[in-house]
Amino acid sequence: MARWVARKYGTEHHEETIEFADFPLNLRRILSCFDEPFSGVVSTYFLSQFMARHVKVAISGDGADELFGSYFVASPGVPHGSL
């Protein structure tokens, strides 16, 4: 799908296949990148390494849950408008 969209709109498109062998070779570095929230760090690590070879800045949707309050722990203590 991404390849099709890139062709349709004439954008640059890069692909990379991550092999299982890449995981143990990078495990120590991946573990040093853990932070909150915890999920997705392995895939994000490989994606970030890949993107860094092609661009200086990338925008993702990460952080939207905290911004819009869909995590209970990131929700404000007092609901908006209740004061």
Side-chain angles (χ1 to χ4, degrees):
M1 180 68 151
R3 190 181 304 148
W4 177 84
V5 170
R7 265 191 253 127
K8 179 172 176 62
Y9 294 102
T11 61
E12 237 180 280
H13 176 73
H14 303 277
E15 295 181 27
E16 181 170 56
T17 301
I18 299 169
E19 303 293 334
F20 179 76
D22 297 328
F23 181 76
L25 296 172
N26 291 283
L27 183 58
R28 190 173 303 275
R29 178 76 176 122
I30 292 168
L31 292 174
S32 74
C33 295
F34 282 140
D35 198 1
E36 292 288 332
F38 184 75
S39 68
V41 74
V42 174
S43 59
T44 302
Y45 172 81
F46 284 110
L47 180 59
S48 299
Q49 295 299 308
F50 175 69
M51 288 187 310
R53 294 195 307 263
H54 301 282
V55 295
K56 294 286 183 195
V57 176
I59 300 171
S60 76
D62 286 352
D65 292 319
E66 291 82 356
L67 180 63
F68 296 109
S70 67
Y71 286 130
F72 181 71
V73 296
S75 298
V78 178
H80 181 68
S82 67
L83 295 176

